[in-house]
């Protein structure tokens, strides 16, 4: 699952 | 970006500005825990390593730089500034960093989204942020006279965490496959730590008396 790593929060 | 997330980030930004205002214009850091500020600096330094690896948005990059810059400059002011450092409550601020850092580091090596340096540090930053407020809360309890700016600073930090929970609930229901268990659990734990403070903060606000936490 590719988007598992996307962390767009601060 | 939803309204809760934006409001959360703005509240976080406001908390930092209130603290910088106190330090920069009043030249005082009385009632502020250096331990907590150092833990935040470590939190942001380990979490925002992705500034070098991923580009998310202009907003994201700018905010990360602001939080990194402000946290390190606050630590610098409290440790090095010739006037500000004199107002630091050194004898009251006795919480040990390592009691928090070490367990967080251990936990991060076992519980993370992936066993890579970046992910372990990310998890570590979440665990550390969750407990970083503890030295500040201990110091507040010991401080007889909590000034307005210090009270507002801690209130804004707590409000920022509560708004992030609303943001996660919103995202969970509106985005497909948006699940971040570690972030959520840490966030809820962190917000619960403020519950006691919130209670006394609202009491003092309602009765219009000075904030004071029972020992």
């Amino acid at each position: 699952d590719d988007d598992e790593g996307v962390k767009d929060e601060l | 970006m939803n309204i809760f997330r934006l409001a959360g980030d703005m509240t976080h930004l406001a908390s930092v500005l209130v603290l910088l205002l106190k330090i920069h214009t009043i030249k005082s850091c009385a009632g502020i825990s250096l331990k907590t500020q150092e833990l935040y600096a470590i939190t942001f330094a380990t979490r925002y390593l992705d500034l070098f690896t991923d580009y998310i948005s202009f907003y994201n990059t700018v905010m990360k730089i602001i939080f990194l810059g402000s946290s390190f400059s606050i630590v610098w002011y409290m440790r090095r500034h010739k006037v500000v450092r004199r107002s630091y409550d050194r004898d009251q601020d006795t919480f040990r960093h390592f009691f928090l850092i070490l367990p967080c580091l251990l936990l991060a090596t076992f519980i993370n989204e992936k066993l890579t340096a970046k992910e372990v540090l990310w998890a570590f930053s979440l665990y550390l942020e969750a407990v970083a407020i503890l030295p500040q809360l201990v110091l507040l309890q010991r401080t007889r006279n909590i000034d307005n700016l210090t009270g507002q600073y801690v209130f804004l930090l707590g409000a920022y965490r509560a708004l992030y929970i609303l943001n996660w609930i919103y995202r969970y229901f509106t985005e497909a496959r948006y699940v971040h268990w570690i972030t959520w659990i840490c966030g809820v734990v962190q917000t619960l730590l403020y519950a006691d403070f919130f209670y006394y903060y609202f009491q003092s606000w309602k009765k219009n008396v000075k904030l004071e936490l029972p020992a």
Side-chain angles (χ1 to χ4, degrees):
Chain A
D1 196 359
D2 289 344
D3 60 3
E4 187 186 42
V6 176
K7 296 181 168 76
D8 58 2
E9 287 172 359
L10 292 162
Chain B
M1 176 80 75
N2 60 68
I3 187 71
F4 304 112
R5 162 75 195 281
L6 184 65
D9 287 346
M10 290 307 119
T11 316
H12 190 190
L13 197 59
S15 76
V16 172
L17 288 177
V18 164
L19 185 52
L20 279 172
L21 178 82
K22 178 179 157 86
I23 290 177
H24 193 81
T25 61
I26 307 172
K27 296 278 184 285
S28 163
C29 64
I32 301 297
S33 166
L34 177 60
K35 306 293 168 84
T36 285
Q37 297 306 319
E38 287 176 340
L39 293 173
Y40 280 138
I42 297 169
T43 293
F44 297 136
T46 48
R47 185 176 310 163
Y48 298 159
L49 284 173
D50 66 353
L51 268 176
F52 301 103
T53 56
D54 303 294
Y55 178 78
I56 294 152
S57 65
F58 177 72
Y59 171 85
N60 199 283
T61 302
V62 169
M63 293 296 267
K64 281 175 177 168
I65 292 171
I66 291 175
F67 290 131
L68 271 171
S70 58
S71 63
F72 277 92
S73 59
I74 290 164
V75 169
W76 180 86
Y77 263 111
M78 294 184 72
R79 280 181 167 275
R80 302 266 178 257
H81 190 278
K82 64 184 194 308
V83 181
V84 174
R85 61 187 283 194
R86 274 190 254 142
S87 57
Y88 171 47
D89 300 318
R90 194 177 310 272
D91 302 333
Q92 304 281 316
D93 191 23
T94 53
F95 212 100
R96 308 259 173 196
H97 302 85
F98 285 99
F99 287 139
L100 296 177
I101 293 174
L102 210 62
C104 289
L105 208 51
L106 278 174
L107 198 59
T109 55
F110 291 110
I111 305 176
N112 48 59
E113 285 188 7
K114 208 187 268 179
L115 196 59
T116 62
K118 201 177 121 186
E119 288 298 327
V120 168
L121 285 174
W122 180 275
F124 167 73
S125 81
L126 290 169
Y127 302 141
L128 194 64
E129 187 189 1
V131 293
I133 195 65
L134 285 174
Q136 180 63 67
L137 292 174
V138 168
L139 183 59
L140 276 188
Q141 223 167 38
R142 291 176 174 174
T143 310
R144 287 293 88 189
N145 271 316
I146 303 171
D147 62 82
N148 286 336
L149 287 179
T150 305
Q152 280 155 13
Y153 166 67
V154 178
F155 172 74
L156 287 167
L157 269 181
Y160 141 62
R161 295 315 313 180
L163 286 162
Y164 252 70
I165 293 181
L166 297 180
N167 155 58
W168 295 327
I169 295 170
Y170 180 87
R171 290 188 76 170
Y172 178 77
F173 286 109
T174 55
E175 288 175 37
R177 297 186 305 154
Y178 173 79
V179 179
H180 284 290
W181 280 108
I182 299 176
T183 313
W184 294 347
I185 293 169
C186 292
V188 170
V189 168
Q190 190 178 354
T191 312
L192 286 175
L193 294 180
Y194 287 91
D196 194 55
F197 171 83
F198 277 144
Y199 175 79
Y200 292 105
Y201 187 86
F202 283 119
Q203 288 287 319
S204 81
W205 181 69
K206 212 169 69 184
K207 295 178 189 157
N208 205 11
V209 294
K210 222 167 156 44
L211 175 65
E212 197 174 298
L213 304 185

